[in-house]
Amino acid sequence: MTHAADDVTEHRHIFHVGSSHRDGVARRVNMKTMREYVSWLYYQYLLITGIYVLEPWEKSIFNAVLFTMVAMVVYTSYVFVPIHMRLALEFFSGLARGHLERTVALMS
Amino acid sequence: MIRTGGHHPRNGSSSNQKPLEDNISVKNGYHRNEKVHSNGKGNGFYRSWDRGEDSFEEAPMYVAVLTYMGFGIVTLFGYFRELLRAVGLEKCNQAQEREEQKDFVPLYQDFENFYNRNLYMRVRDNWNRPICTLPGPVFDLMERVSDDNNWTFRLTGRTIDNVINMGSYNYLGFAENNVDFLKTVAETTVQYGVGVCSTRQELANLTVHKTLEQLVAEFLGVESAMSFGMGFATNSMNIPALVGKGCLILSDELNHTSLILGARLSGATIRVFKHNNMQSLEKMLKEAVCSGQPRTHRSWMKILIMVEGIYSMEGSLIRLPEILALKKKYKAYLYLDEAHSIGAVGPTGRGVTEHFGVDPKEVDVLMGTFTKSFGAVGGYIAGKKELVDYLRSHSHSAIYATAMSPPVVEQITRALKCIMGTDGTREGQRRVQQLAENTRYFRSRLKEMGFIIYGNQHSPVVPLLLYLPGKVGAFSRAMLERKIGVVVVGFPATPITEARARFCVSAAHTREMLDKVLQSLDELGDSIRLKFSRRRCPVRPQVCNETDFELDS
């Protein structure tokens, strides 16, 4: 509970609400710096995935695994997406040109 | 002139009633009963449009997906930790079989123990918090820390003072230690002592018990009542006396454990109908009357419909007029458990019968507890004199259980006199009205803020839905940081996707306390993202509170 209490205290001091209108939540929660905003986003990630209840070393394991998978996805997309896009564009433009040539041949 | 099950709307009533096919199958909306009510101001005070609908708003789909995902991830980690424990890399802190028993049938491998070790233990510090004052509107908590992730706790010796209590069932604020109010209780203790050392049937039928039961019967508007020492035992020990083999019990889906235990102990056949769903109940009644008992097709000896006044996990109110109409049509009996609703609903606090303007003599068995609104312990069963006299000699609780202790009896007596007004003050009436006002205010403000609240607008039990397992622990700890004590409930007491925080509004809460709670909820709702409601209510204009503006003369 000591760990969790520190966690909550730290988050509570940061996330103090400013106004009472129902606009975007980020604006309502009065966050002064980028660092606080990132910290709040990390807190949301902890709550939503349910990692909040785990012990710190379990959190590290999960974050490491998730980060590895995300890094692999990013790398794969960096390597393969431009090539696939180019091939797809070529295929579809080839289709269109073929269609155009056939209609031109029909006309003449 | 008593008209029950009235079947056409009165002139001038703006209730949302649809034209009824027959007397009974009401799709939505309510009967408006013109009644002359012998006790309390039942008629004319609450019109049908005030009764309100129970609301069970559904959260957006992504919330359910995230809830399952959260549970899935924590369960995966649970399996990982189980692996570590099985391999021996980690010490198992929970109970384990002894070495000699390792080859026997495993004792701790079922899902319940798995859940306990891996999910409940991690957030266990939010429950069973030790309290060191009486559970009034504010109380003191002992500060408790854990060094090994909630497996063991130690008290630091400090107390957290003046925590606002939003979890105690203290609806009318009778959990108090005001010396003036408790004078009669002290006198009774001096006269009778505390222990009775016998059962009601033997030597512990004291005059205070008789007075109490007469008062309870008068309060409820029925012929006779009987009190028991424990609320749970009132249900579980008396239902077996009322029904037995060859009887049918139709019980609501969300009934309390005491009702279920009593039903099982009785040996009757139990069928469950969907929560507050009159079509489901009617279908079952039809089938029961037509087909009778399973193999022999003889008719059922008794059909007992078991329902509660307010369901404490949902905050929903029972649909009493419709159930009474169904009961009359199919010649069934009704057992109404008013544990949470007695004292808490109705214009003078007499429960759901008064709230709906229904004659309490129409309900066959009225049951209730003294633990919630009266600040004592025990329960009662009320109804016709024959029924109560039968229970006096045939109930397990009367024959074997110790009678209620005299100071407790006196506390209930003085609470009843206060509510009825017979002690000469208007304190009881003030409390009932204060509770209604607090309930209305609290619920409407929460709805405005955008939280999903379950239940009827008149019920003082307010479940606020949290859904995600991570947020349950975070919410409770954050509220305690802000010095507000709340009760959060998760699986298995609620469905797995519907974890909630349950607030119990009390008449002893002042407007300032409620405002502080609401403000904290507002802040937390934004920082933890709990405002799932998609119904947008118009923002109330700020009420001008000035009383000292100058008038142009």
Side-chain angles (χ1 to χ4, degrees):
Chain A
M1 185 172 146
T2 39
H3 159 76
D6 292 341
D7 196 55
V8 166
T9 325
E10 174 200 307
H11 288 116
R12 184 172 78 94
H13 288 156
I14 297 169
F15 313 132
H16 137 77
V17 170
S19 74
S20 63
H21 298 295
R22 294 161 131 249
D23 322 307
V25 178
R27 198 159 20 125
R28 294 197 48 184
V29 189
N30 216 7
M31 288 181 275
K32 301 224 168 32
T33 66
M34 195 56 178
R35 194 173 174 279
E36 283 177 9
Y37 182 60
V38 171
S39 183
W40 180 76
L41 279 181
Y42 179 65
Y43 184 53
Q44 293 306 304
Y45 155 75
L46 287 182
L47 288 177
I48 288 176
T49 51
I51 302 299
Y52 177 82
V53 304
L54 299 179
E55 295 168 34
W57 60 273
E58 291 168 329
K59 282 189 184 119
S60 317
I61 294 182
F62 184 83
N63 288 339
V65 168
L66 190 68
F67 180 71
T68 313
M69 292 208 299
V70 169
M72 287 197 284
V73 166
V74 167
Y75 175 72
T76 314
S77 57
Y78 172 73
V79 167
F80 285 109
V81 165
I83 300 176
H84 283 306
M85 290 289 294
R86 191 169 57 81
L87 286 173
L89 271 171
E90 275 181 16
F91 176 73
F92 282 117
S93 58
L95 254 184
R97 226 179 299 124
H99 182 76
L100 198 63
E101 280 167 8
R102 255 177 281 130
T103 46
V104 165
L106 258 166
M107 306 278 274
S108 60
Chain B
M1 176 184 76
I2 296 176
R3 171 128 54 92
T4 59
H7 39 270
H8 45 260
R10 293 266 119 207
N11 303 336
S13 137
S14 66
S15 61
N16 52 344
Q17 291 189 12
K18 301 232 163 72
L20 307 174
E21 292 92 80
D22 56 70
N23 243 357
I24 307 304
S25 54
V26 182
K27 298 275 185 266
N28 43 11
Y30 291 85
H31 297 284
R32 161 98 183 235
N33 291 314
E34 274 274 307
K35 296 219 60 50
V36 172
H37 204 44
S38 53
N39 59 328
K41 311 192 245 324
N43 52 332
F45 194 90
Y46 268 20
R47 278 160 281 287
S48 44
W49 63 83
D50 279 342
R51 288 189 204 129
E53 282 276 342
D54 291 349
S55 79
F56 292 100
E57 188 187 340
E58 270 191 28
M61 175 66 89
Y62 72 87
V63 173
V65 171
L66 290 176
T67 309
Y68 280 120
M69 180 183 85
F71 268 110
I73 292 177
V74 183
T75 311
L76 277 177
F77 271 97
Y79 282 127
F80 174 59
R81 295 291 290 269
E82 290 288 313
L83 174 69
L84 289 183
R85 287 190 195 112
V87 166
L89 284 172
E90 189 189 332
K91 187 169 78 85
C92 180
N93 285 318
Q94 206 202 15
Q96 259 184 321
E97 297 102 333
R98 292 205 306 263
E99 274 304 316
E100 308 86 74
Q101 290 174 320
K102 282 276 194 245
D103 291 326
F104 284 40
V105 173
L107 291 172
Y108 303 109
Q109 295 303 315
D110 56 349
F111 179 69
E112 196 184 317
N113 282 295
F114 172 83
Y115 184 84
N116 206 19
R117 275 193 296 264
N118 299 302
L119 275 75
Y120 175 67
M121 277 298 165
R122 297 185 193 274
V123 282
R124 191 165 78 116
D125 58 297
N126 297 317
W127 290 280
N128 302 328
R129 292 180 180 144
I131 298 174
C132 47
T133 58
L134 65 86
V138 290
F139 60 173
D140 298 342
L141 289 177
M142 306 275 328
E143 196 184 1
R144 200 170 58 148
V145 293
S146 172
D147 303 314
D148 50 358
N149 285 100
N150 294 345
W151 285 100
T152 56
F153 292 110
R154 65 182 166 85
L155 300 172
T156 59
R158 286 191 294 267
T159 58
I160 309 174
D161 290 334
N162 288 333
V163 178
I164 298 182
N165 184 358
M166 296 303 293
S168 289
Y169 305 133
N170 187 17
Y171 299 131
L172 292 177
F174 281 114
E176 58 199 348
N177 53 3
N178 185 322
V179 176
D180 297 321
F181 290 150
L182 295 178
K183 229 199 298 269
T184 49
V185 178
E187 283 163 18
T188 313
T189 315
V190 166
Q191 187 185 357
Y192 286 98
V194 177
V196 289
C197 306
S198 189
T199 67
R200 281 301 290 280
Q201 274 216 340
E202 292 178 9
L203 283 176
N205 197 7
L206 308 174
T207 39
V208 281
H209 291 128
K210 258 188 94 162
T211 325
L212 171 68
E213 289 168 2
Q214 273 164 1
L215 256 183
V216 170
E218 189 192 322
F219 178 71
L220 295 170
V222 289
E223 284 177 19
S224 176
M226 181 173 178
S227 65
F228 302 92
M230 180 176 162
F232 187 100
T234 310
N235 271 331
S236 50
M237 296 293 120
N238 287 307
I239 296 176
L242 294 174
V243 289
K245 265 183 93 125
C247 301
L248 175 67
I249 293 183
L250 294 173
S251 126
D252 188 291
E253 203 177 17
L254 299 173
N255 268 342
H256 189 252
T257 314
S258 55
L259 290 165
I260 299 177
L261 184 63
R264 286 188 189 158
L265 274 177
S266 68
T269 311
I270 308 174
R271 296 198 183 141
V272 172
F273 64 92
K274 295 201 184 55
H275 177 60
N276 250 353
N277 189 328
M278 296 300 113
Q279 285 86 6
S280 169
L281 178 59
E282 184 172 14
K283 198 157 76 88
M284 290 201 170
L285 277 168
K286 266 192 193 141
E287 204 244 319
V289 169
C290 294
S291 324
Q293 299 190 27
R295 273 187 310 259
T296 56
H297 290 295
R298 279 193 217 148
S299 54
W300 294 103
M301 290 205 312
K302 280 177 238 182
I303 302 181
L304 185 67
I305 306 175
M306 276 194 337
V307 284
E308 290 187 37
I310 289 186
Y311 291 89
S312 65
M313 273 307 150
E314 273 70 33
S316 53
L317 235 60
I318 181 199
R319 297 182 192 221
L320 195 55
E322 288 141 7
I323 288 201
L324 285 175
L326 273 177
K327 159 188 111 89
K328 282 203 193 65
K329 180 176 178 187
Y330 293 97
K331 310 267 190 308
Y333 297 101
L334 181 61
Y335 186 102
L336 179 62
D337 177 346
E338 286 208 83
H340 285 269
S341 54
I342 191 72
V345 291
T348 56
R350 279 157 167 82
V352 283
T353 48
E354 194 192 19
H355 180 82
F356 287 106
V358 155
D359 187 7
K361 294 192 174 46
E362 287 184 31
V363 181
D364 302 292
V365 188
L366 278 165
M367 179 265 169
T369 59
F370 298 120
T371 37
K372 319 304 196 290
S373 300
F374 301 95
V377 294
Y380 65 86
I381 289 203
K384 288 205 167 61
K385 188 165 183 308
E386 293 92 20
L387 170 79
V388 177
D389 287 345
Y390 175 81
L391 279 179
R392 279 190 216 278
S393 42
H394 287 87
S395 155
H396 295 294
S397 196
I399 304 173
Y400 298 108
T402 318
M404 214 190 265
S405 177
V408 174
V409 174
E410 187 52 39
Q411 155 75 3
I412 305 168
T413 310
R414 74 123 187 140
L416 275 172
K417 284 189 179 146
C418 185
I419 299 176
M420 290 199 288
T422 49
D423 63 345
T425 66
R426 288 197 45 84
E427 178 68 16
Q429 195 55 28
R430 182 196 72 82
R431 287 185 189 205
V432 173
Q433 282 165 357
Q434 180 74 35
L435 175 67
E437 195 189 311
N438 282 353
T439 307
R440 232 186 340 256
Y441 177 65
F442 196 68
R443 274 182 172 265
S444 59
R445 282 290 303 275
L446 283 179
K447 274 221 174 68
E448 254 173 53
M449 286 181 196
F451 292 103
I452 294 188
I453 310 285
Y454 274 5
N456 193 294
Q457 70 191 66
H458 296 289
S459 114
V461 180
V462 186
L464 190 153
L465 274 274
L466 302 172
Y467 296 106
L468 277 73
K471 295 189 182 178
V472 166
F475 182 80
S476 185
R477 287 176 196 149
M479 287 299 266
L480 189 59
E481 284 278 311
R482 288 168 163 74
K483 307 241 277 190
I484 300 170
V486 297
V487 170
V488 288
V489 205
F491 183 76
T494 62
I496 197 163
T497 40
E498 293 175 11
R500 62 199 69 177
R502 187 178 67 177
F503 295 95
C504 293
V505 183
S506 163
H509 284 134
T510 59
R511 188 51 80 95
E512 290 80 31
M513 287 181 208
L514 289 181
D515 281 336
K516 175 166 180 241
V517 175
L518 286 163
Q519 194 202 354
S520 309
L521 281 174
D522 202 7
E523 291 171 10
L524 267 185
D526 288 320
S527 98
I528 300 187
R529 304 287 294 271
L530 290 171
K531 300 188 178 177
F532 298 116
S533 181
R534 283 173 290 191
R535 297 184 193 159
R536 289 284 171 259
C537 315
V539 179
R540 277 184 330 166
Q542 287 293 344
V543 176
C544 181
N545 256 338
E546 281 185 352
T547 50
D548 52 357
F549 48 83
E550 292 179 14
L551 293 168
D552 295 333
S553 53

